[in-house]
Amino acid sequence: MTHTQTHAPDFSGLWIPLITPFKNGDVDHPALTKLVKHYASCGIAGFVACGSTGEAAALSEDEQLAVLKTILAGASQLPVIMGLSGYHLPQTLDWVRTLRQFAVAGLLVPAPHYIRPSQAGLLHWFTALADASASPLLIYDIPYRTGVHLYLETLLKLADHPNISGIKDCGGDAAKTLALIADGRLQVLAGEDAQTFATVAQGGAGAIAASAHLNTQTFAQVIAQLRSDNLAKARELWKPLPQHISAMYAQPNPACIKAELARQGWICNELRAPMMAAG
């Protein structure tokens, strides 16, 4: 049965896809709590738990739930989106049902990875998950991780679903981005950090930006200024950020972000293999 929202959710603004701190191989929950409380005061819209930046692929289901609980506990009044992925629909549906017990603002869901289904298969995948979820879905369009492209026509069909509310746009297709913004049914969030300015300036809702673990308030202010039509101020604030973004992605994410947070004393500089720590 389709879950209908009583009011439209709002995913606008800057969302931090939180890293998962590790210490001696285990999730470092005290460090995670400190990070959540820090970012909650930086003008962000909310958090994404267990995204690719959070190394979710290297976390067990129990660890993912524990991370989610820690973030929810520390986030105060800020909303939390839960990331999930998979390619086995019954198992993924089970996970969506497990997540119903948590007060998450949304689920961030990519296409099933590796198996490369047809557009009809993608429609079935997202529709089934949206039907099963107690929270609205944000589609995570990231073909270089999943191996499959979501066509504009498919996304516009999914926009009809009452429980699909937005898209994290890493599709690499500027025309598709503009068409989704013009359509207006899905809130469009930049997923490539360097596209934040262009996406929001053209009417997008915001960004889910890993590099905003640093310079967080500046990223948040850029989005706020653009959404208030203060283009000159937004340009001025944005000017140093592309260089910062490049530096944060010099090695596979989140290695550089973790190295910088470790240098500042927030976390240990530790990732889970096969991800390697940056110097």
Side-chain angles (χ1 to χ4, degrees):
M1 184 175 168
T2 299
H3 174 89
T4 304
Q5 291 295 307
T6 52
H7 58 87
D10 183 15
F11 295 110
S12 61
L14 174 66
W15 295 74
I16 299 289
L18 269 172
I19 57 120
T20 303
F22 298 116
K23 188 173 185 179
N24 301 320
D26 295 320
V27 176
D28 186 347
H29 287 277
L32 182 57
T33 298
K34 282 183 194 167
L35 284 174
V36 171
K37 290 186 172 172
H38 163 65
Y39 290 120
S41 66
C42 289
I44 68 169
F47 298 99
V48 178
C50 297
S52 49
T53 303
E55 296 175 76
L59 300 174
S60 70
E61 288 191 354
D62 285 347
E63 286 176 320
Q64 288 188 40
L65 292 179
V67 164
L68 175 59
K69 287 175 186 172
T70 295
I71 294 172
L72 285 168
S76 186
Q77 299 304 306
L78 287 181
V80 178
I81 295 167
M82 181 65 171
L84 63 88
S85 67
Y87 52 77
H88 183 288
L89 184 57
Q91 285 177 1
T92 309
L93 284 167
D94 283 346
W95 187 236
V96 168
R97 292 183 192 111
T98 297
L99 293 172
R100 284 177 179 170
Q101 65 191 284
F102 298 97
V104 295
L107 300 180
L108 181 62
V109 183
H113 53 273
Y114 188 75
I115 57 173
R116 303 179 69 190
S118 67
Q119 296 300 300
L122 292 167
L123 272 171
H124 181 72
W125 168 263
F126 285 106
T127 300
L129 296 175
D131 284 346
S133 177
S135 309
L137 257 60
L138 286 93
I139 295 166
Y140 187 2
D141 185 13
I142 185 157
Y144 58 81
R145 284 190 187 271
T146 63
V148 69
H149 287 269
L150 281 156
Y151 295 172
L152 176 61
E153 180 186 2
T154 303
L155 290 166
L156 293 177
K157 284 179 184 171
L158 290 168
D160 275 335
H161 196 292
N163 207 29
I164 298 178
S165 298
I167 182 166
K168 180 182 178 185
D169 177 23
C170 298
D173 182 340
K176 188 166 80 173
T177 301
L178 281 174
L180 290 168
I181 291 170
D183 177 74
R185 286 176 294 166
L186 296 176
Q187 288 192 295
V188 179
L189 297 166
E192 299 292 347
D193 300 12
Q195 294 301 317
T196 298
F197 190 99
T199 296
V200 180
Q202 293 174 116
I208 298 174
S211 60
H213 278 83
L214 293 313
N215 297 307
T216 312
Q217 288 173 312
T218 307
F219 274 95
Q221 287 167 7
V222 166
I223 293 171
Q225 295 294 336
L226 285 171
R227 288 173 61 82
S228 301
D229 294 327
N230 296 327
L231 187 60
K233 180 64 177 170
R235 275 194 194 128
E236 181 189 326
L237 289 163
W238 178 253
K239 202 170 285 182
L241 292 180
Q243 189 174 357
H244 160 70
I245 292 165
S246 294
M248 289 301 99
Y249 287 100
Q251 294 192 36
N253 187 46
C256 296
I257 292 165
K258 281 193 159 182
E260 183 58 25
L261 290 174
R263 192 185 67 77
Q264 294 181 10
W266 290 101
I267 61 169
C268 299
N269 189 16
E270 191 176 318
L271 288 83
R272 278 200 176 158
M275 301 297 282
M276 294 284 135

